[in-house]
Amino acid sequence: MTTASPHARDFHVTHDLVRTGSMGMGVVFLLLGVLAFVPGLTTQYGSLAFASGSEALLFGVFQVSILLNLVYLIVGAAGIIMSRDNTGARNFLLGSGALFLIMWIYGVVINLESTANFLSFNAAGNWMHLVLALIAGAVALMHIARHRGGSQSTTT
């Protein structure tokens, strides 16, 4: 029978980490939303459309639209605001993780060339959504597992 290494027991998702994670994810989403409106960082900027049919590419890779940028901006602002306390930060990470997981699933199952692609996803954006969903969800779930039972300890 094997046991976990001593280092595995030393990793804890603290209240500070969940707040920092919420703040960090909020900043990432805000940056995605803002940078996608910057010509030069967004190639084919002239084709930036409100929703479906946008051909603009953030960093030449991630397809964006005005509507998708607004989603990023709103989620980013929520992350920063909700990072003020443990519960809000955890709930933001759970919620944004679920939202971006749903966005990834939707982007994978639809035909990216169809009108169902109303947010203007592409394959690179889909996979970015999955990575961000997994990071946010993992931090939130580890925090929940660590602090199950409603312990409101002030130690980190």
Side-chain angles (χ1 to χ4, degrees):
M1 181 168 130
T2 61
T3 60
S5 71
H7 303 293
R9 286 181 264 130
D10 292 337
F11 180 75
H12 302 292
V13 178
T14 63
H15 295 306
D16 285 340
L17 180 61
V18 81
R19 287 192 309 267
T20 301
S22 177
M23 175 67 75
M25 294 293 284
V27 168
V28 166
F29 289 122
L30 269 180
L31 282 174
L32 284 172
V34 169
L35 294 178
F37 286 116
V38 177
L41 293 178
T42 301
T43 59
Q44 302 176 34
Y45 188 79
S47 71
L48 183 65
F50 180 74
S52 183
S54 180
E55 295 295 325
L57 298 170
L58 178 60
F59 306 125
V61 177
F62 305 106
Q63 191 169 352
V64 292
S65 66
I66 294 170
L67 185 57
L68 183 58
N69 295 346
L70 292 174
V71 169
Y72 291 149
L73 291 170
I74 291 167
V75 171
I80 291 169
I81 292 167
M82 294 177 77
S83 70
R84 295 179 185 167
D85 66 73
N86 303 329
T87 303
R90 182 198 64 219
N91 290 342
F92 167 76
L93 291 170
L94 277 174
S96 65
L99 172 67
F100 284 93
L101 185 61
I102 290 166
M103 288 171 64
W104 172 73
I105 292 168
Y106 184 76
V108 168
V109 300
I110 64 167
N111 177 351
L112 295 176
E113 303 301 321
S114 73
T115 57
N117 189 6
F118 68 97
L119 287 173
S120 292
F121 293 145
N122 68 353
N126 284 342
W127 293 106
M128 177 188 64
H129 294 150
L130 177 62
V131 168
L132 294 172
L134 293 175
I135 292 169
V139 172
L141 292 174
M142 286 189 293
H143 182 262
I144 290 169
R146 171 77 176 134
H147 299 281
R148 65 186 172 272
S151 171
Q152 294 298 321
S153 170
T154 59
T155 60
T156 56

